[in-house]
Amino acid sequence: MITNNRLTGDQYAVNFADIHPPFETHDAALVEADRCLFCYDAPCMKMCPTSINIPKFIKQISTENIKGSATTIFSSNIFGAGCGKVCPVEKLCEGACVYNLMDEEAIPIAKLQRYATERAIHDKWPLFKRKPSTGKKVAIIGAGPAGLSCAHVLSREGIDVTIYEKESKGGGLMTYGIAAYKVTPEFCNDEVEYILSIGGIRVKYNRELGKNVSLEKLQSKYDAVYLGMGVGLTRTLAIKGEELEGVVDAIDFIYQLRDKGFSSVPVGDKVAVIGLGMTAIDAATQAKRLGASEVSIVYRRTHAEMPCTQHELDIALLDGCKINWLSAPKEILGKRGKVTGLVCSVMELGKPDASERRSPVETNETFTIEVDMVIKATGQIPFVDLVMQNGLENDKGKVRISDNGRTNLAKVFAGGDCVNGGKEVVDAVQAGKDGARGILEFLGIPASNVEPTYNASTVSPQKGNLPDIKLLRL
Ligand code: SF4
């Protein structure tokens, strides 16, 4: 049966507590900071999509310069605190740390990053000063990581920014699309407030492009427009039974959980989650933490091809989720309009496809999982109609941009998920910086505050490490 309020308030509090607790003492942070070798040409830094100067901010912590450390981080990534919680660091900075080569624990870069930035947000340190107004005005669609990152860089340069956000809160994916045990709604609110505290950025909430905001009007009213509207809901499965009560979209499920609170969100007793990306893991683990007795993840390839990291998979396994490898949904069964089961095809791997992963091929075998809820998490689709209606050149709904972030429309720039189809928060932050650089260049204003981009592809991540995980008590 699908129902809400399965657990007590205390149980929700335990299940959704921060999965990565911060350093308990200042000395504990110093001990880790002092282990850093401050490598020349640091590989950790090259693996950061926002090029945070990692050895520098760690050195600043070890010399007790916490304000300097937070400034170093935020200069490259204004979402540095949130990224310290949600980045897949085992395949980015921490995965590249030289300690991996010595078979020792990597420096806990994310935890140190949080150590400096959370203090800055908590104590409201005014680390950035906005330059005097240039009189130039820029409109941004979306107060997510790309939009706010773009806005912060522009505001620092004296641009007056207006953001049009369709939700009632800022933060985008960080606020509405990530497991609450990684980032709490309160944290997201504080982070957005901190970013906006620089001034010069006005956010108009509940304003949506194509509904109550027109791109044409923005083009005539502002000196430039930046599109950072992200992507939409999950693609459909196109199988029988998808219309049954109990089939839900993972994005919507996570949104409801974050927007309404844990006890208000209905969850099944036996849940199947289709897909194995980060969103699928977040949906599966949260279904379990909301009180589902069984959660089965259905993935059509093998461990070698999975899109989530090993760290994410370990969280799901530790939460008691079962993984069905080489399984694809074939039909959703129902009774009186409600989900009762999921029929899966047993797959085998064929030749590599366009993504260079081996394609799953159906065998003649099937199996059935008894479930009362199916959560679809098979990748998000771009806002195709919106993009087409506005005459934006695109690739299957993904907005096409040139090197400096410009679209085919006059004065219009774009970046983040609406361009790349959906990547990590940290990629969206960098896209916002790139967009701001393109806009500043277009407006003839020197971009003094935008850090150069490093080429992460020149460094290969080494063996990842597994940060300490607080286990769900089952
Ligand atoms: Fe420090 Fe590791 Fe980066 Fe070297 S690779 S600078 S040891 S965090």
Side-chain angles (χ1 to χ4, degrees):
M1 184 179 61
I2 298 178
T3 183
N4 63 337
N5 225 356
R6 284 183 178 272
L7 306 176
T8 65
D10 285 350
Q11 286 172 314
Y12 287 125
V14 170
N15 288 356
F16 288 91
D18 192 341
I19 196 169
H20 300 304
F23 288 114
E24 282 181 8
T25 62
H26 176 61
D27 284 352
L30 287 184
V31 166
E32 289 295 349
D34 283 342
R35 284 178 61 226
C36 180
L37 302 171
F38 310 111
C39 307
Y40 174 74
D41 215 13
C44 55
M45 183 174 168
K46 290 190 175 179
M47 279 306 286
C48 174
T50 55
S51 310
I52 294 174
N53 192 331
I54 293 167
K56 182 178 174 186
F57 94 69
I58 293 179
K59 186 76 178 171
Q60 286 167 316
I61 290 176
S62 69
T63 54
E64 313 260 351
N65 179 7
I66 311 300
K67 274 190 184 168
S69 179
T71 306
T72 299
I73 297 162
F74 285 140
S75 298
S76 293
N77 182 343
I78 198 63
F79 275 88
C83 283
K85 292 166 179 264
V86 306
C87 264
V89 289
E90 60 279 9
K91 69 175 184 185
L92 297 174
C93 56
E94 291 183 15
C97 177
V98 295
Y99 271 105
N100 291 296
L101 296 172
M102 299 183 268
D103 265 338
E104 287 187 38
E105 286 283 300
I107 301 294
I109 299 167
K111 205 165 171 178
L112 288 165
Q113 187 167 308
R114 285 179 55 187
Y115 182 70
T117 52
E118 284 182 343
R119 267 190 73 185
I121 291 176
H122 181 266
D123 295 347
K124 299 185 170 54
W125 288 339
L127 300 176
F128 296 93
K129 199 159 179 274
R130 175 176 150 82
K131 287 183 184 169
S133 176
T134 58
K136 299 284 185 191
K137 298 185 300 177
V138 171
I140 292 179
I141 298 294
L148 282 172
S149 163
C150 181
H152 199 265
V153 173
L154 292 175
S155 182
R156 273 146 67 187
E157 297 295 343
I159 309 287
D160 298 323
V161 179
T162 304
I163 304 181
Y164 294 84
E165 167 56 49
K166 68 176 180 176
E167 303 292 346
S168 59
K169 287 179 255 178
L173 178 69
M174 191 76 101
T175 299
Y176 290 105
I178 289 179
Y181 56 77
K182 293 180 186 165
V183 275
T184 63
E186 296 75 30
F187 168 82
C188 292
N189 188 53
D190 291 349
E191 184 170 54
V192 170
E193 287 300 312
Y194 185 73
I195 293 169
L196 296 177
S197 67
I198 189 171
I201 307 171
R202 184 175 173 214
V203 188
K204 293 188 174 186
Y205 292 105
N206 304 306
R207 302 291 296 275
E208 185 172 356
L209 184 65
K211 288 200 174 148
N212 47 18
V213 179
S214 136
L215 184 54
E216 215 177 332
K217 280 197 183 144
L218 295 183
Q219 282 173 280
S220 65
K221 194 172 162 194
Y222 293 90
D223 296 297
V225 181
Y226 180 78
L227 303 176
M229 67 268 197
V231 282
L233 291 175
T234 307
R235 63 187 82 248
T236 58
L237 299 171
I239 60 172
K240 203 173 156 201
E242 199 169 351
E243 73 295 344
L244 288 166
E245 190 183 324
V247 180
V248 300
D249 182 300
I251 300 297
D252 191 48
F253 177 67
I254 296 170
Y255 177 98
Q256 299 296 336
L257 205 147
R258 301 209 48 134
D259 195 46
K260 292 186 176 154
F262 310 128
S263 61
S264 306
V265 181
V267 68
D269 182 42
K270 295 180 179 178
V271 179
V273 176
I274 299 168
L276 196 55
M278 298 266 275
T279 302
I281 296 284
D282 282 1
T285 51
Q286 291 193 110
K288 199 77 170 67
R289 287 164 190 249
L290 283 175
S293 66
E294 286 177 23
V295 174
S296 304
I297 296 176
V298 172
Y299 178 57
R300 59 196 185 134
R301 290 182 164 102
T302 70
H303 184 273
E305 295 86 20
M306 68 180 184
C308 70
T309 63
Q310 183 60 45
H311 174 59
E312 293 287 327
L313 182 69
D314 286 338
I315 297 173
L317 292 171
L318 288 167
D319 277 6
C321 300
K322 184 183 171 214
I323 318 290
N324 296 280
W325 303 102
L326 287 169
S327 309
K330 191 176 175 67
E331 182 182 349
I332 301 169
L333 305 176
K335 214 173 190 178
R336 293 190 207 95
K338 293 182 180 175
V339 172
T340 57
L342 176 69
V343 181
C344 298
S345 294
V346 176
M347 312 297 280
E348 61 186 16
L349 289 183
K351 290 182 180 159
D353 61 12
S355 69
E356 293 178 14
R357 292 180 301 170
R358 291 177 65 195
S359 300
V361 181
E362 258 188 81
T363 65
N364 289 326
E365 279 178 67
T366 61
F367 65 96
T368 302
I369 314 172
E370 192 190 314
V371 291
D372 50 16
M373 186 177 194
V374 174
I375 303 178
K376 300 182 285 181
T378 46
Q380 289 172 259
I381 38 175
F383 294 110
V384 185
D385 293 347
L386 185 65
V387 166
M388 304 290 266
Q389 280 158 16
N390 283 290
L392 286 154
E393 277 181 10
N394 65 89
D395 174 17
K396 294 180 186 153
K398 292 187 279 184
V399 180
R400 270 205 202 121
I401 56 169
S402 59
D403 281 350
N404 59 7
R406 286 181 83 156
T407 69
N408 61 308
L409 301 182
K411 300 198 236 178
V412 180
F413 296 72
D417 287 358
C418 69
V419 167
N420 62 36
K423 283 190 171 181
E424 308 293 343
V425 169
V426 67
D427 294 299
V429 174
Q430 182 58 38
K433 287 162 57 187
D434 293 341
R437 187 191 293 114
I439 290 171
L440 290 169
E441 193 183 288
F442 171 68
L443 298 176
I445 296 168
S448 58
N449 278 325
V450 189
E451 299 276 318
T453 308
Y454 283 79
N455 182 7
S457 64
T458 57
V459 178
S460 302
Q462 307 300 321
K463 188 179 70 177
N465 72 329
L466 182 66
D468 49 345
I469 297 172
K470 191 185 249 180
L471 297 181
L472 169 65
R473 311 217 188 288
L474 296 168

